[in-house]
Amino acid sequence: MSVTVRAPAKVNLHLGVGRRRSDGFHDLSTVFQAVSLYDEITVEDADELDVVVEGDGADEVPTDTSNLAIRAAIALARQVGREPAVRITIRKGIPVAGGMAGGSADAAATLVACTALWESGIDTDALHAIATTLGSDVPFCLLGGTAIGTGRGDQLTRALARGTYQWVFAIADGGLSTPAVYAELDRIREETPVPESATPHELMTALRSGEARRLGPLLHNDLQRPALRLRPALRRTLEAGRDAHAIGAIVCGSGPTCAFLAQDEPEAVALVAALAGSGTCRSVRRAHGPVAGARVVA
Ligand code: C5P
């Protein structure tokens, strides 16, 4: 028996980072959108827990217990009182360490896949609770769509959003460490007061209108400044996208992937060509959002 699940990447349309809490995490006010770049995970019965990673950047994904898919299988098995005896095959379509929640997508997909394989009948709330213990973005990778995230980013409310948005992603050479980017933000803020982290009302209104042109200029990411300090070359990537008529240009989460919003599909195709020829990134991918969260495909 085997089950295959695919889980989407995310882009933060807004990422407001508040104060650093005593547990080391930061309070967030964020708006997530799931986009059509996917990791595909297959789980099958095996003698013992094992993971195989294939695809772009597979070499950089750990295969020990720091792998989020492994952790997800262990956490779910514990919850339902069985051994996590599965082989997990991960096919990467989401950039590794790219700020698009690739590892979290693998964890969400593994939770959904093992729930189906083990016929554990665990309910959505219990799955969400396990997801939260695995990482801040894992609950959103289960949910998908467009959602507001508070707390560590794990407390979710579905957002009212109309239409489909056309995205282009510029993938950088090498990843960025999320804790390092948050730490750089803390350093930047040592001398500056931390602004209030509020839900961006204008952006929510733009999302309800379904008009990309309204959304583009409102994209915001507090982690962009620290990401650019750690990787100054990303400025050129963002400029290349703006020069090629992107209506929004932003670093994805903690980076280094850059996200560009296009007016429509033909504009997105033109943007892909311009970015690919700009020499400012390793590769370019086109996607649309919002899409569903982790779902069984076979
Ligand atoms: O939850 P996750 O494992 O994705 O977080 C990775 C790291 O990102 C954390 O260890 C922390 O340094 C940082 N982080 C944070 N505040 C959040 C989410 C993540 O400081 N809300």
Side-chain angles (χ1 to χ4, degrees):
M1 258 288 275
S2 77
V3 177
T4 298
V5 170
R6 67 177 197 179
K10 59 86 186 170
V11 57
N12 300 83
L13 309 179
H14 176 92
L15 180 47
V17 182
R19 65 185 182 92
R20 187 173 182 276
R21 314 187 312 198
S22 54
D23 64 2
F25 287 92
H26 295 72
D27 277 325
L28 300 186
S29 165
T30 189
V31 182
F32 292 107
Q33 183 161 96
V35 296
S36 61
L37 294 184
Y38 297 99
D39 278 2
E40 204 174 80
I41 271 80
T42 299
V43 295
E44 55 203 315
D45 293 316
D47 292 335
E48 56 186 33
L49 182 57
D50 180 29
V51 67
V52 179
V53 190
E54 299 168 354
D56 220 16
D59 296 354
E60 297 145 54
V61 179
T63 52
D64 57 17
T65 50
S66 67
N67 183 298
L68 278 178
I70 292 269
R71 286 199 204 173
I74 293 171
L76 181 64
R78 189 173 297 140
Q79 175 85 15
V80 301
R82 57 175 297 150
E83 287 297 313
V86 283
R87 160 169 270 227
I88 306 170
T89 305
I90 302 175
R91 284 170 223 93
K92 296 300 298 179
I94 305 174
V96 175
M100 299 192 75
S104 302
D106 298 346
T110 303
L111 288 178
V112 172
C114 289
T115 297
L117 184 73
W118 298 335
E119 296 175 346
S120 60
I122 192 161
D123 66 29
T124 311
D125 286 351
L127 216 54
H128 179 102
I130 299 172
T132 300
T133 67
L134 297 168
S136 311
D137 293 334
V138 183
F140 178 71
C141 293
L142 283 177
L143 184 71
T146 306
I148 299 168
T150 55
R152 284 159 53 205
D154 57 329
Q155 305 300 312
L156 300 171
T157 314
R158 276 202 187 280
L160 287 170
R162 208 170 264 143
T164 296
Y165 296 90
Q166 301 297 325
W167 293 98
V168 174
F169 296 98
I171 295 154
D173 256 330
L176 267 176
S177 144
T178 302
V181 176
Y182 274 99
E184 186 67 17
L185 179 66
D186 290 340
R187 269 192 292 278
I188 291 172
R189 285 178 167 178
E190 256 160 32
E191 312 255 319
T192 339
V194 178
E196 273 297 305
S197 188
T199 308
H201 293 292
E202 246 190 301
L203 182 129
M204 302 317 294
T205 309
L207 276 173
R208 283 195 292 274
S209 79
E211 290 173 39
R213 193 158 289 287
R214 286 181 66 179
L215 181 66
L218 299 173
L219 299 175
H220 174 81
N221 180 5
D222 278 347
L223 292 181
Q224 180 156 315
R225 204 167 148 211
L228 290 176
R229 287 238 301 212
L230 295 173
R231 195 70 72 80
L234 293 179
R235 285 185 194 285
R236 287 182 48 233
T237 316
L238 292 171
E239 270 165 32
R242 289 191 198 105
D243 289 349
H245 311 298
I247 52 176
I250 199 168
V251 169
C252 276
S254 55
T257 307
C258 291
F260 301 94
L261 187 61
Q263 173 62 35
D264 51 28
E265 254 185 272
E267 289 280 334
V269 170
L271 198 48
V272 169
L275 281 165
S278 73
T280 64
C281 53
R282 194 186 71 202
S283 59
V284 187
R285 302 279 302 278
R286 194 154 74 79
H288 61 271
V291 297
R295 294 286 181 281
V296 174
V297 290

mmCIF file of all heavy atoms in Angstrom, residues 13 31-33 146-148 157-165 199-216 218-219 261 289-290:
data_model
loop_
_atom_site.group_PDB
_atom_site.id
_atom_site.type_symbol
_atom_site.label_atom_id
_atom_site.label_comp_id
_atom_site.label_asym_id
_atom_site.label_seq_id
_atom_site.Cartn_x
_atom_site.Cartn_y
_atom_site.Cartn_z
ATOM 1 N N LEU A 13 2.016 37.412 1.372
ATOM 2 C CA LEU A 13 1.617 38.663 0.719
ATOM 3 C C LEU A 13 1.950 39.831 1.650
ATOM 4 O O LEU A 13 2.263 40.924 1.214
ATOM 5 C CB LEU A 13 0.120 38.653 0.423
ATOM 6 C CG LEU A 13 -0.405 37.417 -0.322
ATOM 7 C CD1 LEU A 13 -1.908 37.532 -0.525
ATOM 8 C CD2 LEU A 13 0.312 37.243 -1.642
ATOM 9 N N VAL A 31 -0.148 37.326 5.939
ATOM 10 C CA VAL A 31 -1.168 36.826 5.012
ATOM 11 C C VAL A 31 -0.454 35.867 4.073
ATOM 12 O O VAL A 31 0.463 36.264 3.344
ATOM 13 C CB VAL A 31 -1.836 37.971 4.217
ATOM 14 C CG1 VAL A 31 -2.924 37.401 3.302
ATOM 15 C CG2 VAL A 31 -2.419 39.013 5.158
ATOM 16 N N PHE A 32 -0.861 34.599 4.144
ATOM 17 C CA PHE A 32 -0.252 33.561 3.311
ATOM 18 C C PHE A 32 -1.080 33.356 2.048
ATOM 19 O O PHE A 32 -2.313 33.452 2.094
ATOM 20 C CB PHE A 32 -0.330 32.208 4.016
ATOM 21 C CG PHE A 32 0.482 32.021 5.257
ATOM 22 C CD1 PHE A 32 -0.140 31.987 6.501
ATOM 23 C CD2 PHE A 32 1.846 31.807 5.196
ATOM 24 C CE1 PHE A 32 0.582 31.741 7.657
ATOM 25 C CE2 PHE A 32 2.580 31.555 6.346
ATOM 26 C CZ PHE A 32 1.947 31.521 7.573
ATOM 27 N N GLN A 33 -0.419 32.992 0.970
ATOM 28 C CA GLN A 33 -1.146 32.432 -0.179
ATOM 29 C C GLN A 33 -0.400 31.180 -0.641
ATOM 30 O O GLN A 33 0.824 31.203 -0.823
ATOM 31 C CB GLN A 33 -1.249 33.442 -1.316
ATOM 32 C CG GLN A 33 -2.060 32.883 -2.484
ATOM 33 C CD GLN A 33 -2.584 33.963 -3.419
ATOM 34 O OE1 GLN A 33 -1.989 34.262 -4.427
ATOM 35 N NE2 GLN A 33 -3.719 34.542 -3.056
ATOM 36 N N THR A 146 -5.844 31.219 0.781
ATOM 37 C CA THR A 146 -5.275 32.485 1.259
ATOM 38 C C THR A 146 -5.745 32.619 2.703
ATOM 39 O O THR A 146 -6.936 32.417 2.977
ATOM 40 C CB THR A 146 -5.783 33.674 0.415
ATOM 41 O OG1 THR A 146 -5.524 33.402 -0.965
ATOM 42 C CG2 THR A 146 -5.087 34.970 0.799
ATOM 43 N N ALA A 147 -4.839 32.909 3.615
ATOM 44 C CA ALA A 147 -5.224 32.940 5.032
ATOM 45 C C ALA A 147 -4.396 33.944 5.800
ATOM 46 O O ALA A 147 -3.251 34.231 5.437
ATOM 47 C CB ALA A 147 -5.055 31.550 5.648
ATOM 48 N N ILE A 148 -5.003 34.458 6.864
ATOM 49 C CA ILE A 148 -4.303 35.347 7.791
ATOM 50 C C ILE A 148 -3.685 34.470 8.875
ATOM 51 O O ILE A 148 -4.353 33.575 9.408
ATOM 52 C CB ILE A 148 -5.303 36.338 8.433
ATOM 53 C CG1 ILE A 148 -5.947 37.201 7.343
ATOM 54 C CG2 ILE A 148 -4.632 37.207 9.488
ATOM 55 C CD1 ILE A 148 -7.140 37.996 7.826
ATOM 56 N N THR A 157 -6.829 32.051 9.976
ATOM 57 C CA THR A 157 -8.206 32.380 9.610
ATOM 58 C C THR A 157 -8.231 32.495 8.088
ATOM 59 O O THR A 157 -7.383 33.190 7.526
ATOM 60 C CB THR A 157 -8.626 33.767 10.163
ATOM 61 O OG1 THR A 157 -8.209 33.849 11.514
ATOM 62 C CG2 THR A 157 -10.120 33.982 10.058
ATOM 63 N N ARG A 158 -9.183 31.832 7.453
ATOM 64 C CA ARG A 158 -9.276 31.958 5.989
ATOM 65 C C ARG A 158 -9.562 33.399 5.604
ATOM 66 O O ARG A 158 -10.367 34.069 6.247
ATOM 67 C CB ARG A 158 -10.411 31.075 5.465
ATOM 68 C CG ARG A 158 -9.978 29.656 5.260
ATOM 69 C CD ARG A 158 -10.893 28.957 4.268
ATOM 70 N NE ARG A 158 -10.560 27.540 4.202
ATOM 71 C CZ ARG A 158 -9.528 27.076 3.492
ATOM 72 N NH1 ARG A 158 -8.775 27.894 2.793
ATOM 73 N NH2 ARG A 158 -9.274 25.782 3.492
ATOM 74 N N ALA A 159 -8.909 33.873 4.545
ATOM 75 C CA ALA A 159 -9.127 35.243 4.078
ATOM 76 C C ALA A 159 -10.102 35.215 2.905
ATOM 77 O O ALA A 159 -10.103 34.267 2.113
ATOM 78 C CB ALA A 159 -7.811 35.846 3.636
ATOM 79 N N LEU A 160 -10.924 36.243 2.822
ATOM 80 C CA LEU A 160 -11.809 36.374 1.668
ATOM 81 C C LEU A 160 -10.971 36.897 0.515
ATOM 82 O O LEU A 160 -10.456 38.017 0.574
ATOM 83 C CB LEU A 160 -12.929 37.369 1.983
ATOM 84 C CG LEU A 160 -14.006 36.873 2.935
ATOM 85 C CD1 LEU A 160 -14.900 38.021 3.353
ATOM 86 C CD2 LEU A 160 -14.820 35.762 2.281
ATOM 87 N N ALA A 161 -10.801 36.079 -0.497
ATOM 88 C CA ALA A 161 -9.982 36.502 -1.647
ATOM 89 C C ALA A 161 -10.679 36.040 -2.916
ATOM 90 O O ALA A 161 -11.235 34.950 -2.967
ATOM 91 C CB ALA A 161 -8.599 35.886 -1.556
ATOM 92 N N ARG A 162 -10.663 36.904 -3.906
ATOM 93 C CA ARG A 162 -11.316 36.605 -5.173
ATOM 94 C C ARG A 162 -10.246 36.427 -6.249
ATOM 95 O O ARG A 162 -9.192 37.051 -6.177
ATOM 96 C CB ARG A 162 -12.189 37.804 -5.532
ATOM 97 C CG ARG A 162 -13.379 37.468 -6.371
ATOM 98 C CD ARG A 162 -14.322 38.649 -6.484
ATOM 99 N NE ARG A 162 -15.399 38.597 -5.512
ATOM 100 C CZ ARG A 162 -15.915 39.650 -4.898
ATOM 101 N NH1 ARG A 162 -15.441 40.842 -5.128
ATOM 102 N NH2 ARG A 162 -16.910 39.518 -4.040
ATOM 103 N N GLY A 163 -10.541 35.599 -7.237
ATOM 104 C CA GLY A 163 -9.681 35.537 -8.422
ATOM 105 C C GLY A 163 -8.440 34.685 -8.243
ATOM 106 O O GLY A 163 -8.220 34.062 -7.204
ATOM 107 N N THR A 164 -7.652 34.663 -9.305
ATOM 108 C CA THR A 164 -6.402 33.916 -9.326
ATOM 109 C C THR A 164 -5.284 34.896 -9.658
ATOM 110 O O THR A 164 -5.448 35.754 -10.522
ATOM 111 C CB THR A 164 -6.474 32.810 -10.411
ATOM 112 O OG1 THR A 164 -7.497 31.894 -10.034
ATOM 113 C CG2 THR A 164 -5.166 32.051 -10.539
ATOM 114 N N TYR A 165 -4.178 34.758 -8.968
ATOM 115 C CA TYR A 165 -3.034 35.654 -9.171
ATOM 116 C C TYR A 165 -1.920 34.908 -9.893
ATOM 117 O O TYR A 165 -1.679 33.731 -9.621
ATOM 118 C CB TYR A 165 -2.556 36.190 -7.813
ATOM 119 C CG TYR A 165 -3.616 37.035 -7.153
ATOM 120 C CD1 TYR A 165 -4.557 36.465 -6.301
ATOM 121 C CD2 TYR A 165 -3.712 38.394 -7.437
ATOM 122 C CE1 TYR A 165 -5.558 37.234 -5.733
ATOM 123 C CE2 TYR A 165 -4.705 39.168 -6.866
ATOM 124 C CZ TYR A 165 -5.632 38.580 -6.020
ATOM 125 O OH TYR A 165 -6.618 39.346 -5.466
ATOM 126 N N THR A 199 -2.967 43.590 11.175
ATOM 127 C CA THR A 199 -3.472 43.045 9.919
ATOM 128 C C THR A 199 -3.605 44.183 8.907
ATOM 129 O O THR A 199 -4.139 45.237 9.217
ATOM 130 C CB THR A 199 -4.860 42.387 10.136
ATOM 131 O OG1 THR A 199 -4.735 41.478 11.216
ATOM 132 C CG2 THR A 199 -5.306 41.649 8.894
ATOM 133 N N PRO A 200 -3.098 44.007 7.705
ATOM 134 C CA PRO A 200 -3.093 45.079 6.716
ATOM 135 C C PRO A 200 -4.446 45.215 6.015
ATOM 136 O O PRO A 200 -4.749 44.456 5.094
ATOM 137 C CB PRO A 200 -2.017 44.605 5.740
ATOM 138 C CG PRO A 200 -2.014 43.119 5.871
ATOM 139 C CD PRO A 200 -2.489 42.772 7.228
ATOM 140 N N HIS A 201 -5.252 46.181 6.465
ATOM 141 C CA HIS A 201 -6.627 46.280 5.957
ATOM 142 C C HIS A 201 -6.700 46.578 4.465
ATOM 143 O O HIS A 201 -7.530 46.018 3.762
ATOM 144 C CB HIS A 201 -7.402 47.329 6.767
ATOM 145 C CG HIS A 201 -7.599 46.889 8.182
ATOM 146 N ND1 HIS A 201 -8.421 45.831 8.516
ATOM 147 C CD2 HIS A 201 -7.047 47.323 9.329
ATOM 148 C CE1 HIS A 201 -8.367 45.637 9.822
ATOM 149 N NE2 HIS A 201 -7.540 46.529 10.336
ATOM 150 N N GLU A 202 -5.786 47.465 4.002
ATOM 151 C CA GLU A 202 -5.808 47.803 2.567
ATOM 152 C C GLU A 202 -5.564 46.570 1.703
ATOM 153 O O GLU A 202 -6.204 46.379 0.664
ATOM 154 C CB GLU A 202 -4.704 48.829 2.290
ATOM 155 C CG GLU A 202 -5.219 50.196 1.873
ATOM 156 C CD GLU A 202 -4.068 51.059 1.391
ATOM 157 O OE1 GLU A 202 -3.137 51.270 2.184
ATOM 158 O OE2 GLU A 202 -4.097 51.469 0.237
ATOM 159 N N LEU A 203 -4.623 45.765 2.151
ATOM 160 C CA LEU A 203 -4.297 44.549 1.399
ATOM 161 C C LEU A 203 -5.487 43.582 1.386
ATOM 162 O O LEU A 203 -5.799 42.969 0.353
ATOM 163 C CB LEU A 203 -3.063 43.884 2.002
ATOM 164 C CG LEU A 203 -2.576 42.628 1.288
ATOM 165 C CD1 LEU A 203 -1.094 42.712 0.987
ATOM 166 C CD2 LEU A 203 -2.827 41.376 2.114
ATOM 167 N N MET A 204 -6.194 43.478 2.522
ATOM 168 C CA MET A 204 -7.352 42.574 2.580
ATOM 169 C C MET A 204 -8.440 43.059 1.624
ATOM 170 O O MET A 204 -9.118 42.260 0.979
ATOM 171 C CB MET A 204 -7.905 42.484 4.019
ATOM 172 C CG MET A 204 -6.909 42.011 5.074
ATOM 173 S SD MET A 204 -5.871 40.626 4.576
ATOM 174 C CE MET A 204 -7.098 39.341 4.426
ATOM 175 N N THR A 205 -8.593 44.375 1.525
ATOM 176 C CA THR A 205 -9.584 44.940 0.605
ATOM 177 C C THR A 205 -9.177 44.638 -0.842
ATOM 178 O O THR A 205 -10.019 44.267 -1.666
ATOM 179 C CB THR A 205 -9.698 46.472 0.811
ATOM 180 O OG1 THR A 205 -9.895 46.706 2.198
ATOM 181 C CG2 THR A 205 -10.837 47.073 0.022
ATOM 182 N N ALA A 206 -7.889 44.797 -1.135
ATOM 183 C CA ALA A 206 -7.395 44.505 -2.492
ATOM 184 C C ALA A 206 -7.660 43.042 -2.847
ATOM 185 O O ALA A 206 -8.077 42.722 -3.971
ATOM 186 C CB ALA A 206 -5.907 44.820 -2.584
ATOM 187 N N LEU A 207 -7.452 42.140 -1.874
ATOM 188 C CA LEU A 207 -7.674 40.709 -2.119
ATOM 189 C C LEU A 207 -9.139 40.431 -2.432
ATOM 190 O O LEU A 207 -9.461 39.579 -3.258
ATOM 191 C CB LEU A 207 -7.256 39.887 -0.905
ATOM 192 C CG LEU A 207 -5.780 39.520 -0.794
ATOM 193 C CD1 LEU A 207 -5.506 38.869 0.549
ATOM 194 C CD2 LEU A 207 -5.379 38.589 -1.923
ATOM 195 N N ARG A 208 -10.026 41.141 -1.767
ATOM 196 C CA ARG A 208 -11.462 40.941 -2.019
ATOM 197 C C ARG A 208 -11.849 41.445 -3.404
ATOM 198 O O ARG A 208 -12.798 40.956 -3.998
ATOM 199 C CB ARG A 208 -12.298 41.628 -0.935
ATOM 200 C CG ARG A 208 -12.327 40.838 0.369
ATOM 201 C CD ARG A 208 -13.428 41.328 1.292
ATOM 202 N NE ARG A 208 -13.165 42.662 1.801
ATOM 203 C CZ ARG A 208 -12.431 42.939 2.878
ATOM 204 N NH1 ARG A 208 -11.873 41.953 3.561
ATOM 205 N NH2 ARG A 208 -12.250 44.169 3.282
ATOM 206 N N SER A 209 -11.092 42.430 -3.931
ATOM 207 C CA SER A 209 -11.400 42.972 -5.257
ATOM 208 C C SER A 209 -10.948 42.004 -6.350
ATOM 209 O O SER A 209 -11.457 42.042 -7.471
ATOM 210 C CB SER A 209 -10.708 44.321 -5.462
ATOM 211 O OG SER A 209 -9.341 44.129 -5.795
ATOM 212 N N GLY A 210 -9.977 41.158 -6.045
ATOM 213 C CA GLY A 210 -9.465 40.219 -7.040
ATOM 214 C C GLY A 210 -8.584 40.869 -8.100
ATOM 215 O O GLY A 210 -8.229 40.237 -9.088
ATOM 216 N N GLU A 211 -8.198 42.124 -7.887
ATOM 217 C CA GLU A 211 -7.410 42.831 -8.904
ATOM 218 C C GLU A 211 -5.926 42.823 -8.544
ATOM 219 O O GLU A 211 -5.521 43.433 -7.548
ATOM 220 C CB GLU A 211 -7.887 44.284 -9.017
ATOM 221 C CG GLU A 211 -9.262 44.417 -9.635
ATOM 222 C CD GLU A 211 -9.760 45.854 -9.565
ATOM 223 O OE1 GLU A 211 -8.934 46.778 -9.754
ATOM 224 O OE2 GLU A 211 -10.956 46.033 -9.291
ATOM 225 N N ALA A 212 -5.143 42.151 -9.388
ATOM 226 C CA ALA A 212 -3.702 42.059 -9.136
ATOM 227 C C ALA A 212 -3.069 43.448 -9.059
ATOM 228 O O ALA A 212 -2.181 43.690 -8.237
ATOM 229 C CB ALA A 212 -3.036 41.240 -10.233
ATOM 230 N N ARG A 213 -3.541 44.361 -9.887
ATOM 231 C CA ARG A 213 -2.951 45.702 -9.933
ATOM 232 C C ARG A 213 -3.090 46.426 -8.593
ATOM 233 O O ARG A 213 -2.262 47.253 -8.236
ATOM 234 C CB ARG A 213 -3.613 46.514 -11.064
ATOM 235 C CG ARG A 213 -2.872 47.773 -11.391
ATOM 236 C CD ARG A 213 -3.154 48.290 -12.779
ATOM 237 N NE ARG A 213 -2.567 47.486 -13.833
ATOM 238 C CZ ARG A 213 -1.260 47.455 -14.132
ATOM 239 N NH1 ARG A 213 -0.410 48.169 -13.442
ATOM 240 N NH2 ARG A 213 -0.817 46.702 -15.090
ATOM 241 N N ARG A 214 -4.160 46.119 -7.866
ATOM 242 C CA ARG A 214 -4.327 46.738 -6.539
ATOM 243 C C ARG A 214 -3.455 46.051 -5.498
ATOM 244 O O ARG A 214 -2.965 46.676 -4.569
ATOM 245 C CB ARG A 214 -5.801 46.669 -6.111
ATOM 246 C CG ARG A 214 -6.676 47.655 -6.859
ATOM 247 C CD ARG A 214 -8.108 47.580 -6.406
ATOM 248 N NE ARG A 214 -8.296 48.005 -5.022
ATOM 249 C CZ ARG A 214 -9.480 48.036 -4.410
ATOM 250 N NH1 ARG A 214 -10.574 47.690 -5.073
ATOM 251 N NH2 ARG A 214 -9.590 48.432 -3.166
ATOM 252 N N LEU A 215 -3.313 44.738 -5.664
ATOM 253 C CA LEU A 215 -2.548 43.972 -4.663
ATOM 254 C C LEU A 215 -1.047 44.249 -4.751
ATOM 255 O O LEU A 215 -0.363 44.383 -3.721
ATOM 256 C CB LEU A 215 -2.823 42.468 -4.866
ATOM 257 C CG LEU A 215 -2.116 41.525 -3.893
ATOM 258 C CD1 LEU A 215 -2.632 41.724 -2.473
ATOM 259 C CD2 LEU A 215 -2.313 40.062 -4.313
ATOM 260 N N GLY A 216 -0.541 44.327 -6.000
ATOM 261 C CA GLY A 216 0.910 44.407 -6.238
ATOM 262 C C GLY A 216 1.649 45.406 -5.349
ATOM 263 O O GLY A 216 2.606 45.035 -4.642
ATOM 264 N N LEU A 218 0.912 46.644 -2.595
ATOM 265 C CA LEU A 218 0.685 46.490 -1.152
ATOM 266 C C LEU A 218 1.453 45.308 -0.551
ATOM 267 O O LEU A 218 1.420 45.093 0.659
ATOM 268 C CB LEU A 218 -0.820 46.327 -0.887
ATOM 269 C CG LEU A 218 -1.684 47.516 -1.328
ATOM 270 C CD1 LEU A 218 -3.161 47.182 -1.193
ATOM 271 C CD2 LEU A 218 -1.347 48.764 -0.508
ATOM 272 N N LEU A 219 2.135 44.541 -1.400
ATOM 273 C CA LEU A 219 2.916 43.410 -0.880
ATOM 274 C C LEU A 219 3.974 43.965 0.074
ATOM 275 O O LEU A 219 4.618 44.969 -0.220
ATOM 276 C CB LEU A 219 3.602 42.653 -2.025
ATOM 277 C CG LEU A 219 2.674 42.024 -3.066
ATOM 278 C CD1 LEU A 219 3.493 41.424 -4.205
ATOM 279 C CD2 LEU A 219 1.784 40.956 -2.430
ATOM 280 N N LEU A 261 4.608 39.562 -8.827
ATOM 281 C CA LEU A 261 3.205 39.454 -9.222
ATOM 282 C C LEU A 261 3.061 40.050 -10.621
ATOM 283 O O LEU A 261 3.561 41.154 -10.878
ATOM 284 C CB LEU A 261 2.334 40.210 -8.214
ATOM 285 C CG LEU A 261 0.822 40.067 -8.388
ATOM 286 C CD1 LEU A 261 0.366 38.618 -8.247
ATOM 287 C CD2 LEU A 261 0.086 40.935 -7.356
ATOM 288 N N GLY A 289 -1.873 31.307 -7.793
ATOM 289 C CA GLY A 289 -2.425 31.101 -6.462
ATOM 290 C C GLY A 289 -3.736 31.861 -6.336
ATOM 291 O O GLY A 289 -3.984 32.761 -7.144
ATOM 292 N N PRO A 290 -4.604 31.526 -5.409
ATOM 293 C CA PRO A 290 -4.390 30.489 -4.400
ATOM 294 C C PRO A 290 -4.710 29.082 -4.924
ATOM 295 O O PRO A 290 -5.488 28.938 -5.845
ATOM 296 C CB PRO A 290 -5.379 30.883 -3.301
ATOM 297 C CG PRO A 290 -6.484 31.604 -4.016
ATOM 298 C CD PRO A 290 -5.851 32.286 -5.178
#
